[in-house]
Amino acid sequence: AMNLGAAVADMVRGLNPQQRAAVVHRGGPLLVLAGAGSGKTRVITVRMAHLVAEGLAPENILALTFTNKAAGEMAERVAGLVGHEAARAMTVGTFHSLGLRMVEEDARRLGFSRQFTLLDAADQASAVRHCLRSLRIDPKRHDPAVFLTAISNARNAGQTPDDVAAQPGRRITAQVYAAYLAWLEAYQAIDFDDLILRPVQLLREHADLRAKWRARFRTVLVDEYQDTNGMQFELMRLLVEEHRSLCVVGDDDQAIYGWRGAQVSNILDFDQHFPDATMVALTQNYRSSGHILEAANAVIRRNDARKVKSLWTDVGLGERVQVVACKDAQAEAAWVAGEISRRASVEGRPFRDFGVLFRTGKQSDLVQDALRMAGVPFAVVGAFDFYERKEVKDMLSYLKLVTNPRDQSALMRVINFPQRGIGPKTLETLHAFAKANNVSPLAAMQLADEMEGLTQRQVEAMLDFHDVITEAGRRYAEAPDLAGLVAWICERTGAREAWIRDPTEGPGGHARWRNIEALMRSMRSFQQRRPKTELRDYLRLIALDKHQDQEEGAADAVTLMTLHASKGLEWPVCFVIGCQDGVVPHQRVLEESGGDVSEERRLFYVGITRARRHCYLSYGKTRRKFQGSEPARPSRFLADIPATHREDKDLSRGQGEVEREEARRRFAELKARLGG
């Protein structure tokens, strides 16, 4: 511990005064307001190391954030400071992974066996479709996603189906909500919301569990605190109520997830929730040059409800923000591709130095085309999720059935893939039989020959399917090799041929098979990192965070992503495209918000503060409509950037016009000099 103490003391000396105050603070709750690029991850990780150096046992430290990727990076950085053993003893993860651990450990107190299934978003949607059909509501006319959002919001606000039914015009939603809860109960399933709601229930209702979890986590740190919702706040409050050793880090100016239920009030009212709180603001920015920061400060200053702080830097003013007007979105895309090619070649920059950000995914299509034509490599991040691909979901469904034969949605997905001649009618027969005999549909398949109205082929298909799942379970028990199991299932069921023959994917279905190979690779590396993991744990981790295997940053390519996805990232050269009213701020917000564009403004602020040295804000002067085009207004947020920090370029007129105008101007000057 001696050398750790010395190393940590060195690190603390290297911090700026505000960062240092945040690291060494002891006693009651602490709010660290961390502006963009102000070194907040550094503060959290050094604070964790400092706690250990002061003698707190690492297993008593709980650090929470919002994505597994962020949690993984935090854990890695802490390990670099305190060593791998101490870092592994800490609990570093997302709110949902903490909830999963609590639910697993105390499943019996919730009336669950250990065999519960964790649903992902697709499973939830199919559960809601099932509920709609049972209520005689047509799922084609009523989008399950709308019900899911309503159910999730109600649950996170602590409302029961009865509470919802009491609200005007919400009778159907309340019925679907009640049916959905009954479905979860029947299939021993829990969804994402349960991973927060159930732990809150455990802590509220059982004094012994409250004592156990509070004793385990003697200090709690929360990153990205502005993204917490009401129930996450409640879970955190229940854990720290007694010892009050809580440190939350966040930036109210980067609260951009209100549409997902996040409550920026958690950070704005922190001193009301915890009257004994201390507040430290980190305002020195280590990311961007001066003009970029001043432009961002000017934009965000216009929001009323915020903690007042202004970012500053000591790296100098740098280049002004470039505000570029193009003729339309097509011209804008061509200009972006041209500017990236030019800078890459003139400055010898690698392509990974460039980021292109946009408000909605649709905007990236034109940019992708333009970059392709310019021969510039690019990667679209988060556009189409690996785990949402058909073939990957097929394979994971087989694995889910191995761990939980009652998994309804998994069974529906693969019982007829590859085709076995088991259609909807046969499925109904199977379900009715399973229900009448009180067994799982999978177990009922063994008795297929006792079912009415099945052909010999269907009976054999069911028996065969049952064999595949039981045999897979046996193989895995003998040799727990995830990738090997996938390969075996593909061979045994003929899935590989079925994917390759699949006509829906461009040049044959070879792309589908390549995705399965990628899945097997990720399984191998996963098992190397965590050799003791069971199949069930692997599936739950994937359901928790489906973005963990997008290998980012490997290739040298321009990054394309949405503004929402870009939070926490940075590029030396950054483009924000489509800076016009109706895009940023979004049309829907303009129509529905009663003029409140504060969250859209924060989103724009996030965009500007991603840039380190060069920031481009571009827009098209016209936008396409069905009949032709109409003029577009530049984003109202651009007007907030003072002239001293920006340089405007108008590329909307043809190059010839601009050159002629320039020649006319020079001619006029010459004439004036020669005395008219």
Side-chain angles (χ1 to χ4, degrees):
M2 259 324 286
N3 51 5
L4 174 66
V8 170
D10 262 358
M11 277 182 300
V12 173
R13 268 197 296 279
L15 299 173
N16 71 39
Q18 289 75 24
Q19 291 174 328
R20 198 173 310 135
V23 164
V24 302
H25 168 85
R26 286 299 162 272
L30 170 70
L31 166 63
V32 181
L33 272 181
S38 62
K40 73 181 174 72
T41 316
R42 188 154 176 229
V43 165
I44 288 193
T45 47
V46 175
R47 180 172 168 86
M48 288 160 78
H50 191 249
L51 287 164
V52 174
E54 284 198 330
L56 185 66
E59 53 269 22
N60 292 144
I61 296 177
L62 168 65
L64 295 172
T65 181
F66 278 82
T67 65
N68 276 343
K69 185 168 173 271
E73 281 166 14
M74 195 191 293
E76 237 161 87
R77 284 172 72 163
V78 171
L81 307 180
V82 299
H84 283 282
E85 202 177 327
R88 263 201 298 273
M90 298 175 180
T91 302
V92 181
T94 61
F95 273 93
H96 288 99
S97 68
L98 166 71
L100 181 58
R101 174 184 294 201
M102 294 175 71
V103 170
E104 285 187 321
E105 207 168 295
D106 296 318
R108 293 215 158 48
R109 303 292 280 274
L110 289 165
F112 284 124
S113 68
R114 288 276 288 137
Q115 287 282 2
F116 65 87
T117 302
L118 176 59
L119 303 182
D120 68 13
D123 301 332
Q124 285 180 269
S126 73
V128 168
R129 272 195 292 276
H130 175 91
C131 295
L132 290 173
R133 278 196 293 271
S134 69
L135 291 165
R136 304 260 184 280
I137 299 170
D138 181 0
K140 286 197 179 63
R141 289 200 20 233
H142 293 269
D143 182 0
V146 174
F147 286 111
L148 270 174
T149 307
I151 291 171
S152 177
N153 290 343
R155 297 184 81 193
N156 280 301
Q159 297 173 344
T160 64
D162 289 345
D163 298 336
V164 175
Q167 297 161 11
R170 303 202 61 198
R171 196 176 49 83
I172 294 181
T173 305
Q175 287 176 327
V176 179
Y177 179 7
Y180 177 73
L181 292 181
W183 190 94
L184 289 178
E185 186 86 17
Y187 291 108
Q188 291 263 312
I190 67 175
D191 65 12
F192 268 21
D193 295 323
D194 282 311
L195 292 181
I196 310 295
L197 300 170
R198 300 291 192 159
V200 165
Q201 181 193 342
L202 286 169
L203 294 174
R204 277 184 183 157
E205 293 173 8
H206 305 282
D208 57 326
L209 298 183
R210 226 174 12 251
K212 173 182 87 168
W213 290 105
R214 283 176 181 173
R216 184 169 314 173
F217 302 129
R218 307 258 293 278
T219 188
V220 177
L221 302 97
V222 182
D223 190 13
E224 303 287 2
Y225 185 65
Q226 74 282 346
D227 295 342
T228 50
N229 67 24
M231 277 299 166
Q232 288 160 336
F233 172 80
E234 189 55 15
L235 178 58
M236 178 196 82
R237 194 186 61 75
L238 284 161
L239 286 171
V240 303
E241 209 165 29
E242 233 159 72
H243 56 63
R244 303 185 82 65
S245 175
L246 169 67
C247 165
V248 304
V249 183
D251 181 3
D252 52 308
D253 289 337
Q254 293 182 70
I256 55 176
Y257 288 113
W259 51 282
R260 277 210 313 229
Q263 296 173 353
V264 70
S265 58
N266 285 350
I267 197 164
L268 294 175
D269 304 338
F270 190 77
D271 40 5
Q272 286 164 35
H273 298 152
F274 300 100
D276 51 340
T278 307
M279 186 180 103
V280 174
L282 309 180
T283 53
Q284 184 172 358
N285 173 288
Y286 294 95
R287 177 185 297 151
S288 309
S289 43
H291 280 307
I292 296 174
L293 275 190
E294 286 305 333
N297 284 337
V299 166
I300 201 67
R301 204 171 283 138
R302 302 287 303 273
N303 267 1
D304 299 335
R306 63 182 289 258
K307 304 267 188 189
V308 176
K309 57 185 172 312
S310 264
L311 298 179
W312 60 279
T313 178
D314 54 15
V315 301
L317 281 170
E319 194 182 279
R320 292 180 182 189
V321 173
Q322 307 280 316
V323 179
V324 180
C326 301
K327 188 165 138 246
D328 54 20
Q330 210 127 20
E332 183 181 29
W335 162 77
V336 168
E339 189 65 4
I340 290 176
S341 303
R342 182 185 73 77
R343 283 208 105 123
S345 66
V346 173
E347 299 168 14
R349 280 188 183 277
F351 288 117
R352 71 167 72 87
D353 275 7
F354 298 88
V356 180
L357 307 179
F358 34 84
R359 176 67 179 83
T360 61
K362 287 202 297 288
Q363 292 171 266
S364 79
D365 295 347
L366 289 169
V367 179
Q368 290 182 47
D369 293 343
L371 291 172
R372 259 188 221 106
M373 279 172 61
V376 172
F378 61 89
V380 186
V381 179
F384 191 62
D385 195 343
F386 181 69
Y387 293 103
E388 291 303 312
R389 293 171 198 267
K390 175 198 184 307
E391 57 280 13
V392 175
K393 287 169 83 164
D394 290 343
M395 195 24 80
L396 293 175
S397 294
Y398 272 108
L399 299 180
K400 285 177 180 176
L401 285 170
V402 173
T403 63
N404 179 8
R406 297 194 93 84
D407 191 324
Q408 196 65 7
S409 37
L411 181 69
M412 306 280 276
R413 188 168 185 95
V414 291
I415 188 159
N416 205 28
F417 173 83
Q419 291 204 332
R420 302 185 173 87
I422 300 179
K425 278 277 168 277
T426 319
L427 267 176
E428 271 178 32
T429 308
L430 171 67
H431 281 306
F433 183 87
K435 207 166 180 178
N437 293 286
N438 202 7
V439 289
S440 74
L442 191 70
M445 288 187 185
Q446 279 175 290
L447 313 167
D449 37 18
E450 294 178 24
M451 294 178 202
E452 308 279 312
L454 298 190
T455 65
Q456 191 50 36
R457 181 174 168 230
Q458 289 167 332
V459 170
E460 275 161 22
M462 283 198 187
L463 292 171
D464 184 60
F465 185 82
H466 182 268
D467 284 351
V468 171
I469 303 295
T470 39
E471 168 76 358
R474 206 171 61 243
R475 281 174 171 268
Y476 185 76
E478 283 164 19
D481 165 15
L482 290 168
L485 185 61
V486 168
W488 178 82
I489 292 174
C490 291
E491 283 314 307
R492 169 74 173 74
T493 60
R496 178 169 185 242
E497 289 72 37
W499 285 315
I500 289 176
R501 279 199 316 269
D502 183 344
T504 55
E505 185 127 350
H510 285 280
R512 292 197 184 275
W513 177 246
R514 281 198 295 278
N515 285 328
I516 293 296
E517 291 179 320
L519 177 69
M520 295 199 277
R521 277 200 302 281
S522 95
M523 285 171 157
R524 282 189 204 102
S525 74
F526 179 84
Q527 277 197 299
Q528 277 162 356
R529 288 199 309 273
R530 315 174 65 154
K532 291 213 170 47
T533 307
E534 287 181 39
L535 174 57
R536 186 173 61 212
D537 301 329
Y538 172 76
L539 291 170
R540 282 181 190 164
L541 280 167
I542 282 184
L544 266 187
D545 186 33
K546 300 198 158 173
H547 316 293
Q548 68 206 131
D549 286 298
Q550 287 174 342
E551 291 150 37
E552 284 163 43
D556 182 30
V558 175
T559 305
L560 272 54
M561 59 168 45
T562 64
L563 286 162
H564 279 102
S566 72
K567 191 155 68 98
L569 304 174
E570 55 180 64
W571 293 271
V573 186
C574 189
F575 295 79
V576 180
I577 63 171
C579 299
Q580 56 219 45
D581 273 2
V583 183
V584 189
H586 197 281
Q587 194 59 41
R588 192 188 56 242
V589 178
L590 291 175
E591 285 164 13
E592 292 172 7
S593 63
D596 178 14
V597 292
S598 54
E599 184 155 316
E600 293 287 303
R601 183 185 294 279
R602 294 194 287 262
L603 194 55
F604 192 62
Y605 171 79
V606 165
I608 298 176
T609 53
R610 298 310 94 199
R612 298 178 59 121
R613 295 294 168 263
H614 308 283
C615 176
Y616 292 92
L617 307 174
S618 63
Y619 61 95
K621 281 191 147 177
T622 56
R623 63 173 176 191
R624 283 225 176 121
K625 284 305 259 194
F626 305 119
Q627 290 82 20
S629 62
E630 61 167 24
R633 294 182 38 194
S635 170
R636 57 195 64 194
F637 302 145
L638 288 173
D640 300 331
I641 303 176
T644 38
H645 304 301
R646 66 194 276 175
E647 195 172 310
D648 289 69
K649 284 200 180 104
D650 188 344
L651 310 177
S652 66
R653 296 163 306 177
Q655 203 45 48
E657 269 179 73
V658 177
E659 280 162 10
R660 278 197 299 279
E661 207 167 283
E662 186 75 349
R664 272 199 297 274
R665 194 175 57 80
R666 276 206 297 272
F667 179 68
E669 269 177 17
L670 198 65
K671 228 167 82 171
R673 269 220 306 276
L674 296 172

